């Protein structure tokens, strides 16, 4: 059952995966049975919590994560902080993430948790109106791509926004992690926001190359397709933009935003064709 839930999560059927993991956890298997089935109760609870958070149901993840916190699991603290922040409990998230960062740990796994917790703490502080403290916390964390991305987002959300500072920070993240797809996407987005459209499109093409070179390439995300379409429209590449928006709509058919963008692009093409004496195409 757990393996079925894992497979469902991989193909994007998040709600089905959550239900299946919940069924496994509700079975109260003996330790011997769990060992025989190669199941780990804590790992299953953490995975189910991540799925709930990704499915925009963070409040449902909080009770299980609070119980796991008592075991001192740093991953549980990290996810609890994220669930609290996503549920609108900013002060609780800040306190939880500080406890997570206070826990000692060594090795790659501990380093990853620490980076994510620091980035999330900065985000929580900024969401709670403590922007200057958030910037200070993230700056003190040193050179870490995930932390730098969080710092860039805070610069963009500041009043007034500071896209130039954000771009400088993300360019440092690109130097540190040139093959990281998320870093690449953030860089492309910031280049577009600072009116460096041609450079943004070049970087976005690099992101596409990185994604396709992955051992397990996934379909391009709707957000990526929308961003690339925006850049293509700015450069006058209308047909490429329409193709990307059609692909985005096929992945997210209920998205009003995607449908509206596609409709506008099709109207724009129709106007151009009428102006050139052609029959409009859809």
């Amino acid at each position: 059952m757990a393996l079925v839930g894992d497979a469902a999560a991989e193909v994007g059927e998040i709600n089905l995966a959550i239900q299946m993991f919940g069924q496994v956890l509700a079975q109260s298997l003996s330790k011997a049975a769990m060992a025989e089935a190669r199941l780990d109760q804590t790992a299953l609870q953490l995975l189910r919590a991540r799925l709930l958070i990704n499915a925009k149901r963070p409040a449902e993840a909080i009770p299980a994560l609070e119980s796991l916190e008592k075991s001192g699991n740093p991953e549980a603290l990290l996810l609890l902080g994220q669930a609290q922040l996503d549920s609108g409990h900013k002060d609780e998230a800040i306190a939880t993430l500080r406890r997570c960062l206070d826990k000692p740990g060594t090795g790659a796994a501990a380093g990853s948790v620490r980076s994510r917790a620091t980035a999330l703490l900065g985000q929580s502080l900024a969401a709670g109106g403590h922007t200057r403290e958030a910037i200070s916390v993230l700056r003190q964390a040193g050179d870490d791509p995930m932390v730098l991305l969080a710092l860039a987002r805070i610069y963009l959300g500041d009043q007034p926004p500071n896209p130039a500072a954000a771009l400088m920070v993300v360019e440092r993240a690109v130097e540190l992690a040139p093959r990281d797809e998320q870093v690449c996407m953030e860089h492309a987005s910031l280049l577009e926001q600072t009116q460096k459209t041609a450079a943004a499109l070049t970087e976005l093409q690099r992101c596409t190359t990185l994604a396709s070179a992955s051992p397990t390439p996934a379909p391009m995300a709707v957000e990526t397709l929308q961003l690339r379409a925006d850049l293509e429209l700015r450069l006058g590449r209308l047909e490429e933009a329409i193709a990307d928006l059609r692909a985005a709509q096929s992945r997210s058919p209920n998205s009003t935003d995607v449908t509206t963008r596609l409709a506008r692009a099709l109207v724009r093409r129709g106007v151009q064709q009428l102006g050139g004496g052609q029959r409009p195409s859809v």
Side-chain angles (χ1 to χ4, degrees), residues 8-197:
E10 287 182 2
V11 298
E13 297 173 351
I14 293 179
N15 289 326
L16 175 59
I18 291 169
Q19 179 183 355
M20 289 179 173
F21 280 117
Q23 290 172 2
V24 172
L25 291 167
Q27 288 174 5
S28 301
L29 299 176
S30 67
K31 290 183 179 180
M34 293 283 286
E36 183 179 353
R38 293 183 300 164
L39 301 177
D40 180 276
Q41 192 87 354
T42 299
L44 285 175
Q45 287 179 312
L46 290 174
L47 183 51
R48 184 171 184 272
R50 281 195 292 270
L51 290 171
L52 285 166
I53 291 169
N54 290 339
K56 311 299 183 187
R57 295 160 56 184
E60 295 177 50
I62 290 176
L65 291 171
E66 286 178 334
S67 66
L68 285 176
E69 180 186 357
K70 298 171 185 176
S71 68
N73 188 302
E75 180 79 16
L77 274 170
L78 171 66
L79 290 174
L80 177 58
Q82 184 175 349
Q84 289 168 332
L85 177 62
D86 291 352
S87 299
H89 306 303
K90 305 178 188 70
D91 292 339
E92 291 91 333
I94 290 169
T96 298
L97 293 164
R98 289 194 193 279
R99 291 200 304 277
C100 182
L101 290 169
D102 285 341
K103 287 192 172 297
T106 57
S112 174
V113 169
R114 188 166 192 82
S115 294
R116 290 150 60 202
T118 302
L120 200 55
L121 175 59
Q123 183 182 339
S124 302
L125 287 165
H130 311 292
T131 305
R132 301 277 74 80
E133 184 181 357
I135 291 173
S136 176
V137 165
L138 296 175
R139 279 178 171 172
Q140 290 173 15
D143 271 354
D144 179 280
M146 187 169 293
V147 173
L148 290 170
L149 292 184
L151 179 57
R153 294 185 195 112
I154 290 173
Y155 280 136
L156 286 175
D158 203 359
Q159 295 299 325
N162 192 344
L167 180 58
M168 186 180 303
V169 168
V170 171
E171 285 175 343
R172 176 56 182 157
V174 172
E175 292 176 7
L176 294 169
R179 301 193 61 79
D180 186 292
E181 293 172 43
Q182 184 181 358
V183 171
C184 185
M185 274 302 307
E186 297 271 356
H187 189 211
S189 177
L190 272 166
L191 286 167
E192 191 274 335
Q193 290 179 57
T194 51
Q195 286 73 55
K196 296 179 172 69
T197 308

